Amino acid sequence: MSAIRVRGLDHVVLRVADLERSLGFYCGALGCTEERRIDALGLVQLRAGSALIDLVPVAGPLGGAGGAPPGEEGRNVDHFALRIERFDEAELRGHLSAHCIEPGEVGRRYGAEGNGPSMYVRDPDGNVVELKGPPDGDA
């Protein structure tokens, strides 16, 4: 049995050039609701059913870390998160290393179900994938 059992998509993080335009699209047109905002980071989290869509303006701290704005020379997807069944750091590190994947640092991060452990890895094309464990019950 694999050390990683995916339960579903937890969240997607989009780098956006115009936050208000994006809020109009996702909230106004698609019916998402704003769940959380952390202005110091440049992060707005929207509820999309059981998952989240995080918007990070390219002019903010998080969005600016991704390079050029979305377009020919820049990417707009920062990362996506897979909610995994359980989070055993040692087991995950061993499993990923056995598949020649460099395990990232573990941190306690907020996701669609609340705060819990997570780790970032990169896929073969350099896309960032967050492996998000179960919530720890603390806000």
Side-chain angles (χ1 to χ4, degrees):
M1 181 200 261
S2 175
I4 299 175
R5 289 184 39 205
V6 175
R7 286 189 53 191
L9 188 65
D10 185 89
H11 65 274
V12 175
V13 180
L14 300 176
R15 297 176 69 245
V16 299
D18 183 330
L19 179 61
E20 292 308 314
R21 184 179 67 195
S22 294
L23 287 171
F25 177 80
Y26 287 102
C27 294
L30 299 185
C32 295
T33 57
E34 187 173 322
E35 179 161 314
R36 200 166 83 131
R37 186 181 284 244
I38 303 175
D39 291 325
L41 293 175
L43 169 69
V44 178
Q45 294 181 299
L46 308 178
R47 175 60 55 185
S50 64
L52 294 174
I53 297 171
D54 294 355
L55 303 178
V56 292
V58 294
L62 289 178
E72 293 294 321
E73 299 299 319
R75 58 188 171 90
N76 70 327
V77 176
D78 181 81
H79 74 276
F80 65 92
L82 295 175
R83 169 62 162 82
I84 59 176
E85 194 69 36
R86 59 192 193 85
F87 196 98
D88 179 315
E89 182 178 354
E91 186 178 17
L92 282 172
R93 288 188 179 284
H95 177 80
L96 293 167
S97 295
H99 285 86
C100 300
I101 299 168
E102 184 176 338
E105 293 299 315
V106 171
R108 183 174 178 268
R109 298 177 181 93
Y110 187 79
E113 297 177 355
N115 288 305
S118 77
M119 172 191 294
Y120 294 108
V121 297
R122 289 193 180 269
D123 76 6
D125 292 305
N127 295 303
V128 178
V129 179
E130 181 180 353
L131 302 175
K132 184 80 174 72
D136 57 24
D138 295 332

